[in-house]
Amino acid sequence: MMSTLVKPSILPGFMELTPTDQILFNKMMDTIRKNYEKFGFLPIDTPVIEKSEVLLAKGGGETEKQVYRFQKGSTDMSLRFDLTVPLARYVSQYYSQLNFPFRRYQIGKVYRGERNQKGRFREFYQCDIDIIGNGSLSIINDAEIPALIYSTFKELGFDAFTIQINNRKILKGFFDSLEIDDSTQILRTIDKLEKIGQAGVEKELAELGLNPEKIEKINAFISVKGNNAGIISELRKLNVSNEVFIEGVEELDTVIKYIRLFGVPEENCKINLSIVRGLDYYTGTVYETFLDDYPSLGSICSGGRYDNLAEYYTKQKLPGVGMSIGLTRLFYQLREANLIQADETSLTKVLIIPMNEYTEESVEVANKLREAGVFSQVYLESGKVGKKFGYADKLSIPYVIVVGEEEVKTGLYTIRDMTTGEQRSLDLEEAIKCLK
Amino acid sequence: MMSTLVKPSILPGFMELTPTDQILFNKMMDTIRKNYEKFGFLPIDTPVIEKSEVLLAKGGGETEKQVYRFQKGSTDMSLRFDLTVPLARYVSQYYSQLNFPFRRYQIGKVYRGERNQKGRFREFYQCDIDIIGNGSLSIINDAEIPALIYSTFKELGFDAFTIQINNRKILKGFFDSLEIDDSTQILRTIDKLEKIGQAGVEKELAELGLNPEKIEKINAFISVKGNNAGIISELRKLNVSNEVFIEGVEELDTVIKYIRLFGVPEENCKINLSIVRGLDYYTGTVYETFLDDYPSLGSICSGGRYDNLAEYYTKQKLPGVGMSIGLTRLFYQLREANLIQADETSLTKVLIIPMNEYTEESVEVANKLREAGVFSQVYLESGKVGKKFGYADKLSIPYVIVVGEEEVKTGLYTIRDMTTGEQRSLDLEEAIKCLK
């Protein structure tokens, strides 16, 4: 009928998985969701398409260039580029119906027309949690978010990861105390510490026009090291009198204390005074999470505290704190690095193979297994038995039950373990027990 | 800072839920997914955005006008309008990596720029299952699909629903036997049977130019009634010698027999010879599902058998059979009709309320509950106790534990059942048992 075929392919920058990988991906997503729910977060699901006017209310920036924006009729619409702007819109829109603190999670796809690069996706899943207060929000929430992330990554099977934590008020207050307005150049210099050494930093800071007193103070600051308690104590010893600085240190102290109380071991959550996060949005606590053995993967989960979620939509002051896992990228990187592998790559537990005339009896076996909650499939196509076993093998279905004359007569079914090749003859009840 | 605010709102035709409704929606989606997996279907997840060339390969039709299509750079892209075209593209693209019969499910959002109407959505979830054969596919698969739908709707809490089933070959063969090419007008007339009666139908058919013999045969056909076995038997008695007709009746007979074998009671699956489905796509078995007490909701799940899934992308012949639940519309309708209500509208089982100085101890209680799998939340904000209980109440959290001096001293915690108001004093271990 058709003379020309269209080549089946997807757009570059989109991830699509084989069913086996999809099972693994879904398991990770399920684990994340279950942990989010265990900590009392509520689900929401916002549209992928929003009014451009609403989505781009903030305007400007690199993000706006990447937005998929289009018209349909006279309507100007855009695909969401994160889940934070939709959250801000949602909280403003349903403000009177929500109960604060509003703890929500959202797992969904977001869209960015980024330049095409390996491991950069144009469609990817974000898994967000946020706690939004009405007017104010206890600082202890800043400690509960990493506790949830800890619980999630542990259950995802990771042991060696570090949630790095800081408070932006510390650096801001510190620079304020030195009467430095534009700290960009200085931060860039500090960033070179490992490369050029302390003497090198001092030299560059002098070139930037800082006097020796300020350089000494910066040196003292970047020398602050130790365990979490040690860093807090060193920061206090700097005797910076700036109020914002003092507030930042106090907040960090409280958050660190509660993170421990929430059961997170110190090795999994460490202060890093150089973490600031790119976005202006964050105003207090900030987080970045790294896999200890694979720092090259970059931050796999990040977030922080913000003063006001929804300033573009409402006059209500809505402070919040949250974190986000970029699941698509994380999955891709873990797979590329061979760091994930499924224990089971099949959801189906057993394939039932009917001998010649025994399809009906096979269906009845399947009914009973499914009723008992055993995920099962009957192989209904004709063909040689070997091919049918091969099907189970290729799909990694762990067990096969053959149904033929003998089985129907005796009520005993041969169950083959497809990994070991072992066969056992069991009645249905025993089979169900063995397969559950 | 901001002088003007943007009004927070979403585009018309998009559904957005409160967290309470979202919990219910997610539970329905989870039930569907679990049933799909229990029957051995594999998950896939395709991009929401596809190349327009690929998505619109078939071209034409009402659907194309509704597609959200746009350019980014020089790329012409579109949002998927169903999950069937992406499945066709997926199966063609990964043909050599897939194992046939390929049983996949996909639950995802699709997009149609439809005219704005109550209960019509521009973004909605489809929950699709399909079984794709390579070259051929056993007819018994046509019986397993309704068995899965039966299992799903039962677990969703529905009892009175009917999967109406037919085979398009029957009507096609029947009209062929009468040498009627264009059956549209005749179908329209037959459709009026209830309104205008048999005599009225006969009159209209005569006006369409049919001779008395043909009219008599049509009369005999539309008079076929009874239970499933009765209808099959009546159809055979019509003595239509057309091969397609005979094949259709044989297929329907087999499918009906196996549907029963798969455990579906006859009252939930009935032959309806007037079901044809709108799309040309279907070639054999067709299904429509109705809630018996609410026929006005229309078909809540439909599908059928097709000869060739992917003719636009591959020369491989890929016959298949499938069904789809339009979840967003179903949920909307059930809610409008007050037919669904959650048993539990909270995922969180318990709210822990710290008295004045007992936040740390409350966190420790939460840790232990969460470790034991009890979904819990600590109320961390300051405020009066009444307000905190009110929070639990508004979120429908079923239990509250208060942690104060007395509780910490004795290790006995007061657990209040928020529905009955009953209070019990339990140690943590007992509390966990009671809350699980």
Side-chain angles (χ1 to χ4, degrees):
Chain A
M1 205 167 87
M2 294 291 302
S3 50
T4 50
L5 296 175
V6 176
K7 184 170 177 278
S9 62
I10 57 172
L11 291 161
F14 287 71
M15 187 169 89
E16 192 165 70
L17 303 172
T18 61
T20 308
D21 276 339
Q22 192 68 53
I23 289 170
L24 188 54
F25 186 90
N26 290 358
K27 276 187 187 167
M28 287 182 75
M29 196 149 70
D30 288 344
T31 300
I32 293 169
R33 175 181 161 194
K34 199 193 75 194
N35 274 276
Y36 286 4
E37 291 180 349
K38 188 160 62 174
F39 275 69
F41 286 78
L42 300 168
I44 71 168
D45 182 24
T46 65
V48 166
I49 312 177
E50 298 244 11
K51 292 179 183 173
S52 296
E53 177 201 0
V54 169
L55 214 53
L56 305 171
K58 192 189 172 189
E62 193 55 33
T63 313
E64 189 157 349
K65 282 185 225 150
Q66 300 174 348
V67 171
Y68 290 106
R69 180 174 180 172
F70 54 95
Q71 301 243 331
K72 177 106 183 153
S74 60
T75 313
D76 181 359
M77 45 185 89
S78 297
L79 304 189
R80 64 185 181 204
F81 52 87
D82 69 13
L83 300 177
T84 303
V85 176
L87 170 64
R89 193 264 309 144
Y90 184 96
V91 174
S92 315
Q93 190 172 339
Y94 306 107
Y95 174 77
S96 62
Q97 296 168 59
L98 300 176
N99 300 293
F100 293 91
F102 177 55
R103 295 155 77 95
R104 87 85 177 80
Y105 77 88
Q106 182 167 10
I107 297 175
K109 287 175 169 179
V110 303
Y111 296 84
R112 292 192 197 164
E114 289 207 73
R115 194 177 296 214
N116 198 20
Q117 274 180 62
K118 198 166 179 267
R120 282 269 165 200
F121 294 97
R122 290 170 176 167
E123 174 185 72
F124 54 96
Y125 279 96
Q126 295 267 67
C127 309
D128 278 26
I129 37 165
D130 284 272
I131 307 173
I132 314 296
N134 190 4
S136 68
L137 184 70
S138 161
I139 185 78
I140 302 169
N141 290 289
D142 294 31
E144 195 176 19
I145 298 274
L148 167 48
I149 291 300
Y150 170 76
S151 150
T152 304
F153 279 109
K154 282 299 263 189
E155 201 178 327
L156 284 173
F158 298 104
D159 285 311
F161 60 90
T162 308
I163 303 169
Q164 298 193 349
I165 190 166
N166 194 14
N167 191 306
R168 282 174 84 139
K169 288 178 187 169
I170 296 173
L171 212 56
K172 184 178 187 308
F174 176 68
F175 283 127
D176 283 356
S177 78
L178 297 180
E179 288 170 350
I180 293 167
D181 284 336
D182 182 13
S183 50
T184 320
Q185 283 300 327
I186 295 165
L187 282 172
R188 230 172 252 159
T189 301
I190 292 174
D191 232 24
K192 291 191 216 162
L193 179 62
E194 300 245 314
K195 262 196 219 157
I196 61 178
Q198 189 154 353
V201 169
E202 281 183 40
K203 191 167 158 263
E204 281 203 17
L205 290 177
E207 282 164 15
L208 288 171
L210 294 191
N211 64 37
E213 194 198 349
K214 288 182 182 178
I215 293 176
E216 198 196 312
K217 283 190 174 167
I218 291 174
N219 260 334
F221 184 82
I222 62 180
S223 307
V224 170
K225 291 215 167 55
N227 59 18
N228 291 340
I231 290 176
I232 299 280
S233 146
E234 287 294 311
L235 284 172
R236 287 197 175 119
K237 279 190 208 150
L238 292 180
N239 271 322
V240 177
S241 60
N242 178 283
E243 273 179 32
V244 175
F245 180 90
I246 293 168
E247 202 180 303
V249 175
E250 288 312 308
E251 284 187 7
L252 189 56
D253 190 23
T254 305
V255 171
I256 284 292
K257 176 182 136 194
Y258 270 96
I259 286 176
R260 223 169 25 238
L261 267 169
F262 270 113
V264 182
E266 173 136 358
E267 73 230 47
N268 293 104
C269 189
K270 289 183 186 154
I271 297 172
N272 178 343
L273 295 175
S274 72
I275 295 275
V276 286
R277 306 255 319 117
L279 302 167
D280 283 340
Y281 181 65
Y282 296 105
T283 49
T285 308
V286 284
Y287 324 96
E288 297 273 15
T289 306
F290 297 87
L291 295 181
D292 297 349
D293 303 327
Y294 305 90
S296 64
L297 265 57
S299 176
I300 57 171
C301 173
S302 54
R305 156 77 72 148
Y306 36 90
D307 271 349
N308 201 357
L309 174 72
E311 56 183 330
Y312 301 101
Y313 312 115
T314 175
K315 286 184 178 164
Q316 306 295 340
K317 187 149 191 200
L318 303 167
V321 61
M323 258 179 136
S324 176
I325 303 175
L327 183 58
T328 302
R329 185 147 185 263
L330 176 61
F331 181 86
Y332 173 84
Q333 289 176 318
L334 293 173
R335 209 183 36 162
E336 285 286 293
N338 268 319
L339 291 178
I340 38 170
Q341 230 162 343
D343 312 336
E344 302 162 357
T345 50
S346 169
L347 298 167
T348 306
K349 207 62 185 279
V350 59
L351 182 74
I352 300 152
I353 297 183
M355 289 295 122
N356 299 324
E357 302 293 314
Y358 292 90
T359 310
E360 297 182 16
E361 291 79 0
S362 298
V363 166
E364 281 162 9
V365 169
N367 290 343
K368 283 183 188 137
L369 291 175
R370 286 169 181 165
E371 262 166 42
V374 179
F375 291 16
S376 2
Q377 179 185 344
V378 189
Y379 191 94
L380 294 167
E381 309 309 304
S382 56
K384 292 184 181 158
V385 177
K387 192 184 163 191
K388 297 175 184 178
F389 273 96
Y391 181 79
D393 194 43
K394 279 182 200 148
L395 287 178
S396 304
I397 298 174
Y399 294 94
V400 160
I401 292 180
V402 173
V403 177
E405 190 182 352
E406 190 62 25
E407 285 77 9
V408 171
K409 214 192 294 169
T410 61
L412 290 174
Y413 298 87
T414 307
I415 300 178
R416 183 189 286 198
D417 182 323
M418 293 295 286
T419 316
T420 64
E422 269 177 66
Q423 297 203 145
R424 297 166 69 186
S425 195
L426 300 173
D427 68 25
L428 258 191
E429 213 170 298
E430 293 165 333
I432 286 167
K433 264 187 216 153
C434 150
L435 292 168
K436 276 196 102 164
Chain B
M1 206 167 85
M2 294 289 301
S3 49
T4 52
L5 296 175
V6 176
K7 184 171 176 276
S9 64
I10 58 173
L11 291 161
F14 286 72
M15 186 169 90
E16 192 166 71
L17 303 172
T18 61
T20 308
D21 276 338
Q22 192 67 52
I23 288 171
L24 188 54
F25 186 90
N26 290 358
K27 276 187 186 167
M28 288 182 77
M29 195 147 72
D30 288 343
T31 299
I32 293 169
R33 176 182 162 194
K34 199 193 75 197
N35 274 277
Y36 286 4
E37 292 180 350
K38 187 160 62 174
F39 276 68
F41 286 78
L42 299 168
I44 70 167
D45 182 25
T46 65
V48 166
I49 312 177
E50 298 246 13
K51 292 178 183 172
S52 296
E53 178 202 359
V54 170
L55 214 53
L56 305 170
K58 192 189 172 189
E62 192 56 33
T63 313
E64 190 158 347
K65 283 185 224 150
Q66 299 173 351
V67 170
Y68 290 106
R69 181 174 180 171
F70 54 95
Q71 302 244 330
K72 176 105 186 158
S74 59
T75 313
D76 182 0
M77 45 185 90
S78 297
L79 304 190
R80 64 186 181 204
F81 52 88
D82 68 14
L83 300 177
T84 304
V85 176
L87 171 64
R89 193 264 310 144
Y90 184 95
V91 174
S92 316
Q93 188 171 341
Y94 306 105
Y95 174 77
S96 61
Q97 296 169 59
L98 300 177
N99 300 293
F100 294 91
F102 176 55
R103 297 155 74 96
R104 85 87 177 78
Y105 78 87
Q106 182 167 9
I107 297 175
K109 287 175 171 179
V110 303
Y111 295 84
R112 291 192 197 165
E114 290 207 72
R115 194 178 295 212
N116 198 22
Q117 273 180 60
K118 200 167 178 267
R120 282 270 165 200
F121 293 97
R122 291 172 175 165
E123 174 185 72
F124 54 98
Y125 278 95
Q126 294 268 67
C127 309
D128 277 26
I129 38 166
D130 283 271
I131 308 174
I132 314 297
N134 190 5
S136 69
L137 184 71
S138 162
I139 185 78
I140 303 170
N141 290 290
D142 295 32
E144 195 176 17
I145 298 273
L148 167 48
I149 291 300
Y150 170 75
S151 148
T152 304
F153 279 110
K154 283 297 265 191
E155 201 178 326
L156 284 173
F158 298 105
D159 284 311
F161 61 90
T162 309
I163 302 169
Q164 298 193 350
I165 190 165
N166 193 16
N167 190 307
R168 282 175 84 138
K169 289 176 185 169
I170 295 174
L171 212 55
K172 186 180 185 308
F174 177 68
F175 283 125
D176 282 356
S177 78
L178 297 180
E179 289 170 350
I180 292 167
D181 284 337
D182 182 14
S183 50
T184 319
Q185 283 299 327
I186 296 167
L187 282 172
R188 229 171 254 161
T189 302
I190 293 176
D191 232 26
K192 290 192 216 158
L193 181 62
E194 301 243 316
K195 262 196 217 153
I196 61 178
Q198 191 154 352
V201 169
E202 281 183 40
K203 189 166 159 266
E204 282 202 16
L205 290 177
E207 282 163 13
L208 288 172
L210 295 192
N211 65 34
E213 194 200 346
K214 288 184 182 177
I215 292 176
E216 198 197 313
K217 284 192 173 164
I218 291 176
N219 260 335
F221 184 83
I222 62 178
S223 306
V224 170
K225 293 217 165 53
N227 60 16
N228 291 341
I231 290 176
I232 300 280
S233 148
E234 288 295 314
L235 284 172
R236 288 199 174 116
K237 278 190 208 148
L238 293 180
N239 272 323
V240 177
S241 61
N242 177 283
E243 273 179 32
V244 176
F245 180 90
I246 293 168
E247 201 180 305
V249 174
E250 288 313 309
E251 285 187 5
L252 190 56
D253 191 21
T254 305
V255 171
I256 284 292
K257 177 182 137 198
Y258 271 95
I259 286 177
R260 222 168 27 238
L261 268 168
F262 270 114
V264 182
E266 175 138 354
E267 74 229 48
N268 294 104
C269 189
K270 288 183 186 153
I271 297 174
N272 177 344
L273 294 174
S274 71
I275 293 276
V276 286
R277 306 255 321 117
L279 301 167
D280 283 339
Y281 181 66
Y282 296 106
T283 50
T285 308
V286 284
Y287 324 96
E288 297 273 14
T289 305
F290 297 88
L291 296 182
D292 298 349
D293 303 326
Y294 306 90
S296 63
L297 264 56
S299 176
I300 57 171
C301 173
S302 54
R305 156 79 71 150
Y306 37 89
D307 271 347
N308 202 358
L309 174 73
E311 57 183 330
Y312 301 101
Y313 312 115
T314 176
K315 286 181 179 165
Q316 307 294 341
K317 188 152 190 198
L318 303 167
V321 62
M323 259 179 134
S324 175
I325 302 174
L327 183 57
T328 301
R329 184 149 183 260
L330 176 62
F331 181 86
Y332 174 84
Q333 289 175 318
L334 293 174
R335 210 183 36 162
E336 286 285 293
N338 269 319
L339 291 177
I340 38 168
Q341 231 163 343
D343 313 337
E344 302 163 357
T345 50
S346 170
L347 299 167
T348 305
K349 208 61 185 280
V350 59
L351 182 73
I352 299 152
I353 297 183
M355 290 293 123
N356 298 326
E357 301 292 314
Y358 292 90
T359 309
E360 296 183 17
E361 291 79 1
S362 298
V363 166
E364 282 161 8
V365 168
N367 289 345
K368 284 182 187 137
L369 292 175
R370 286 170 182 165
E371 261 167 44
V374 178
F375 291 15
S376 1
Q377 178 185 343
V378 188
Y379 192 94
L380 294 167
E381 309 309 303
S382 57
K384 291 182 183 162
V385 176
K387 190 182 164 192
K388 297 175 184 180
F389 272 96
Y391 181 80
D393 193 45
K394 280 184 199 147
L395 287 179
S396 304
I397 299 174
Y399 293 95
V400 160
I401 292 180
V402 173
V403 178
E405 190 181 353
E406 190 63 23
E407 285 77 11
V408 172
K409 215 192 289 168
T410 61
L412 290 173
Y413 298 87
T414 306
I415 299 180
R416 183 188 289 198
D417 182 324
M418 293 296 286
T419 316
T420 63
E422 267 176 66
Q423 298 204 147
R424 296 167 68 186
S425 197
L426 301 173
D427 69 26
L428 258 191
E429 215 169 294
E430 293 165 332
I432 286 166
K433 266 188 216 153
C434 149
L435 292 169
K436 274 197 107 165

